[in-house]
């Protein structure tokens, strides 16, 4: 009889390994099947950990899903820091818009946005995740202001909303494409607006 694979639990392997396995399993299920399909049972089976191991770190599905996606997106889109505001923003926007090349990721993001409107328990974790991505752009813009590339009076919060507003509107409505090749033009318009204030 073939030897069966031992089921992972937090006590049998290093906690960090189990933690990463749970995050990876959650992101995979989310992108394959959507938010509603994510359950602690499915994640535990996919990650090969005990369900109690998951509850040790996350008290709810919403917190698990957003923690998982925060780490997944941060790995896929590391913060650029080239020394140029324009180059950093172009790299960020091109990576952001490249999600359109991955239909499962598009569906996952649309589902997360919809869930945040419908489930009060999901709203705050979702907002926290969105803020973590906004923080990346704010840091890029703040570095640009510190270097004198942007006016000290520039409204960096509004510029960040503008950058993400285009992304989410096109992602959700689908009236125009999200094309990474358009990143330089989008960034140029954004920076021109900031410099004219």
């Amino acid at each position: 009889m073939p030897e069966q694979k031992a089921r992972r639990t937090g006590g049998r392997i290093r906690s960090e390994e189990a933690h990463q396995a749970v995050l990876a399993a959650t992101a995979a299920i989310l992108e394959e099947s959507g938010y509603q399909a994510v359950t602690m049972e499915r994640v535990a089976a996919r990650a090969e950990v005990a369900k109690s191991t998951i509850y040790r770190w996350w008290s709810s599905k919403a917190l698990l899903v957003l923690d998982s996606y925060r780490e997944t997106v941060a790995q896929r889109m590391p913060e650029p820091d080239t020394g140029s505001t324009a180059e950093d923003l172009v790299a960020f926007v091109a990576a952001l818009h490249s999600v359109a090349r991955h239909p499962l990721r598009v569906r996952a993001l649309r589902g997360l946005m919809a869930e945040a409107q419908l489930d009060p328990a999901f709203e705050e974790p979702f907002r926290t995740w969105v803020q973590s991505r906004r923080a990346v752009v704010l840091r890029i813009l703040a570095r640009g202001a510190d270097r004198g590339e942007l006016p000290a009076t520039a409204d960096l919060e509004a510029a960040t909303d503008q950058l993400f507003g285009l992304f989410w509107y096109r992602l959700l409505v689908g009236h125009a494409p999200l094309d990474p090749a358009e990143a330089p033009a989008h960034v140029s318009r954004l920076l021109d607006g900031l410099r004219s204030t």
Side-chain angles (χ1 to χ4, degrees), residues 79-80 85 88-89 92 130-146 150 154-164 190 194:
E79 181 174 339
T85 303
D88 288 350
L89 288 175
F92 184 89
V130 168
Q131 289 295 342
S132 75
R133 302 313 298 160
R134 289 184 82 257
V136 174
V137 174
L138 283 168
R139 284 193 296 270
I140 292 171
L141 294 172
R143 289 196 300 263
D146 289 343
L150 300 173
D155 189 339
L156 306 186
E157 290 280 351
T160 301
D161 286 345
Q162 184 180 342
L163 185 149
F164 282 107
L190 181 74
L194 282 172

Side-chain angles (χ1 to χ4, degrees), residues 89-113:
L89 288 175
V90 167
F92 184 89
V93 171
L96 184 66
H97 290 194
S98 70
V99 73
R101 297 174 178 164
H102 306 278
L104 293 178
R105 295 177 192 175
V106 169
R107 186 179 67 177
L109 286 170
R110 287 174 175 163
L112 293 177
M113 176 63 86

Side-chain angles (χ1 to χ4, degrees), residues 80-89 140 143-144 147-149:
D81 188 1
T82 65
S84 162
T85 303
E87 289 180 21
D88 288 350
L89 288 175
I140 292 171
R143 289 196 300 263
R147 290 191 297 259
E149 296 176 48

Side-chain angles (χ1 to χ4, degrees), residues 43-190:
V43 172
R46 181 99 171 221
E48 299 179 325
V49 301
K51 195 163 67 167
S52 59
T53 299
I54 300 175
Y55 280 111
R56 187 183 311 153
W57 293 309
W58 297 278
S59 60
S60 71
K61 180 175 91 166
L63 293 174
L64 169 59
V65 167
L66 270 304
D67 199 14
S68 166
Y69 224 54
R70 175 194 54 75
E71 182 156 319
T72 297
V73 172
Q75 289 173 358
R76 289 175 181 164
M77 293 180 57
E79 181 174 339
D81 188 1
T82 65
S84 162
T85 303
E87 289 180 21
D88 288 350
L89 288 175
V90 167
F92 184 89
V93 171
L96 184 66
H97 290 194
S98 70
V99 73
R101 297 174 178 164
H102 306 278
L104 293 178
R105 295 177 192 175
V106 169
R107 186 179 67 177
L109 286 170
R110 287 174 175 163
L112 293 177
M113 176 63 86
E115 198 65 33
Q117 314 313 305
L118 300 172
D119 182 358
F122 191 76
E123 181 181 359
E124 189 54 40
F126 180 78
R127 184 179 292 116
T128 299
W129 173 66
V130 168
Q131 289 295 342
S132 75
R133 302 313 298 160
R134 289 184 82 257
V136 174
V137 174
L138 283 168
R139 284 193 296 270
I140 292 171
L141 294 172
R143 289 196 300 263
D146 289 343
R147 290 191 297 259
E149 296 176 48
L150 300 173
T153 57
D155 189 339
L156 306 186
E157 290 280 351
T160 301
D161 286 345
Q162 184 180 342
L163 185 149
F164 282 107
L166 184 147
F167 169 76
W168 281 108
Y169 193 69
R170 291 190 177 191
L171 183 85
L172 296 172
V173 178
H175 69 293
L178 284 169
D179 185 354
E182 294 183 6
H186 291 317
V187 168
S188 180
R189 287 194 294 271
L190 181 74

Side-chain angles (χ1 to χ4, degrees), residues 12-29:
R12 292 180 190 166
I13 58 171
R14 292 183 303 110
S15 290
E16 183 59 24
E17 185 180 345
H19 192 271
Q20 292 303 316
V22 170
L23 292 175
T26 303
I29 294 168

